[in-house]
Amino acid sequence: MKLTKVTSALSLAALATLACAGAMAQGQDSGWYGGANVGRSAATIDDERINRGLLGSGFSASTLVDDDRSTGYKIFGGYQLNRNFAVEGGYFDLGNFGYTATTVPAGTLDGRIKLRGLNLDLVGTVPLSEKFSVFGRAGLNYAQARDSFSGTGAVQVANPNPRKNDTNYKLGLGLQYALSESLAVRAEAERYRINDAIGNRGHIDLFSVGLIYRFGAKSQAPAPRMAAAEPVRQVVAVAPPPPAPPPAPRFEKYTLSATELFAFDSAELRMPQARLDEIASALGRHAEVNDVVITGYTDRIGSSAYNQKLSERRAVAVKTYLASKGVGAARLKAQGKGEADPVMTCTERQLPALIKCLEPNRRVEVENITIERRVQ
């Protein structure tokens, strides 16, 4: 008899290893995560081989009934090495499968198999949008096959409970949707190559859904770099006695790196935001400044339409934050210019190097257009 195909998983987290510092793609966090899946498993039972085995023992099967569906689940843990790769391990239980053959001479042969074990996979992820991503996996599974056989009537079983542990490959594909920075839902299909306890080889396919939780996946925002913005200046005019009072400081222009504000390809602000708090405080001191324009820019990676929308969402996110700090929304205008007005031109071909080189183009500018026009 041969059990060829099954699918479903119970996985108990096997931790992955090795962080890959410096390989992390721009704006993407690394870190630990864990989760669980549950789904439907299906087995294709080799009825032809079962019949050949019965004939070889002097029997024939008058009926053969397969039990080739089960429920499986898995619990897993992993480490995100960078934006595109993770190492993931877990414990799986692929369920129970079997068959019952009614024989001539009169008797029955009942065969069952239980499959469970550990796996270790390399997982590759390709983002499709800000929330959706597709992923594939390839790795090894160490499975224990527990067979059980029983016979009635003329059928006698010599070894009723054979067992076997073996290592084979496993593959999978899936789709992931981020509910938040820390929580995501997965749907995936996996194939486990399996050996049973009596020398047969087959594979088990598991189709499942599950949740994944990232532990502290959100990176801390870099320390504010004051050199990136022009400071508020105090101009003091000295006149003959009596001395004239110095003019009030002006609110001019701030340029903030999008890397300080957002994760790569995201419009959700990192926290805390010391630079934006500084700007809100300056606007609070300059109540006379009413023409403040917030302009978002992106790099050239991706389509122009997508980048335009992303730059607009980032500008709106900065406006909303400043308004939450007490700056009147009527004083603020948000706009996006997408890939326009780049400050850096790059020729790198490798994506991580290109993302790094184009970092200056990903920015948000906050400026008082009234002052800017007067200065020009």
Side-chain angles (χ1 to χ4, degrees):
M1 68 224 68
K2 180 178 179 183
L3 179 59
T4 307
K5 195 168 147 191
V6 179
T7 322
S8 191
L10 154 63
S11 318
L12 176 62
L15 298 175
T17 95
L18 272 251
C20 189
M24 181 162 38
Q26 182 69 27
Q28 175 67 23
D29 300 327
S30 64
W32 297 100
Y33 64 87
N37 279 38
V38 64
R40 190 66 170 164
S41 57
T44 298
I45 299 175
D46 193 344
D47 294 343
E48 183 180 349
R49 182 180 176 87
I50 294 170
N51 282 319
R52 289 200 305 268
L54 289 170
L55 289 172
S57 300
F59 295 90
S60 64
S62 59
T63 62
L64 187 58
V65 179
D66 294 335
D67 179 12
D68 56 3
R69 296 293 184 271
S70 188
T71 299
Y73 57 96
K74 66 178 182 179
I75 301 172
F76 56 88
Y79 189 83
Q80 192 74 38
L81 300 173
N82 55 48
R83 177 179 174 82
N84 297 110
F85 291 100
V87 178
E88 187 175 299
Y91 174 81
F92 61 84
D93 186 333
L94 297 178
N96 303 323
F97 307 90
Y99 67 89
T100 299
T102 303
T103 66
V104 178
T108 62
L109 175 63
D110 185 79
R112 308 293 301 176
I113 185 171
K114 297 180 180 179
L115 292 159
R116 61 196 62 183
L118 301 173
N119 68 280
L120 184 63
D121 301 342
L122 178 65
V123 180
T125 301
V126 178
L128 301 179
S129 69
E130 190 171 330
K131 297 290 187 180
F132 277 104
S133 58
V134 64
F135 64 91
R137 64 172 70 244
L140 298 174
N141 77 83
Y142 179 74
Q144 180 186 72
R146 296 184 178 184
D147 290 1
S148 62
F149 301 99
S150 61
T152 64
V155 178
Q156 301 295 317
V157 176
N159 182 7
N161 298 112
R163 295 186 179 185
K164 182 178 180 64
N165 297 338
D166 210 346
T167 301
N168 282 288
Y169 68 84
K170 69 181 293 283
L171 303 169
L173 288 173
L175 186 67
Q176 182 167 300
Y177 179 78
L179 302 173
S180 66
E181 286 196 23
S182 58
L183 189 65
V185 62
R186 279 181 174 181
E188 57 183 311
E190 296 172 282
R191 170 159 291 186
Y192 295 75
R193 183 70 171 177
I194 296 295
N195 297 347
D196 71 9
I198 58 173
N200 300 313
R201 286 179 175 269
H203 54 260
I204 299 173
D205 300 319
L206 172 62
F207 303 93
S208 62
V209 295
L211 290 174
I212 178 172
Y213 182 82
R214 298 188 180 279
F215 301 96
K218 186 174 181 179
S219 300
Q220 294 297 319
R225 293 180 291 179
M226 300 305 295
E230 297 181 14
V232 176
R233 297 169 182 166
Q234 185 176 26
V235 180
V236 180
V238 180
R250 299 185 310 182
F251 179 91
E252 297 184 351
K253 178 178 178 181
Y254 287 76
T255 299
L256 301 99
S257 168
T259 303
E260 298 178 37
L261 299 174
F262 310 98
F264 185 76
D265 196 28
S266 172
E268 184 176 345
L269 282 170
R270 300 178 185 273
M271 293 298 165
Q273 278 296 335
R275 294 295 307 284
L276 293 182
D277 291 342
E278 174 189 333
I279 294 173
S281 177
L283 287 172
R285 294 193 302 271
H286 294 274
E288 76 282 2
V289 176
N290 292 310
D291 298 316
V292 178
V293 177
I294 303 165
T295 306
Y297 295 88
T298 68
D299 59 27
R300 60 181 172 80
I301 299 174
S303 70
S304 298
Y306 179 84
N307 289 335
Q308 176 63 31
K309 292 180 179 179
L310 178 61
S311 68
E312 292 170 359
R313 294 200 306 271
R314 286 180 169 178
V316 169
V318 172
K319 175 182 176 180
T320 301
Y321 183 91
L322 294 176
S324 73
K325 295 298 181 178
V327 181
R331 302 170 62 190
L332 307 172
K333 176 185 177 182
Q335 65 180 15
K337 292 191 176 180
E339 307 169 10
D341 303 327
V343 297
M344 179 66 69
T345 301
C346 301
T347 59
E348 281 78 1
R349 294 181 178 273
Q350 297 296 322
L351 183 59
L354 180 61
I355 291 174
K356 179 65 177 176
C357 179
L358 292 174
E359 179 179 347
N361 295 344
R362 301 189 295 273
R363 65 194 189 278
V364 175
E365 295 179 353
V366 182
E367 60 182 325
N368 177 4
I369 60 173
T370 302
I371 290 179
E372 290 299 311
R373 289 169 181 164
R374 185 168 64 246
V375 170
Q376 292 173 0

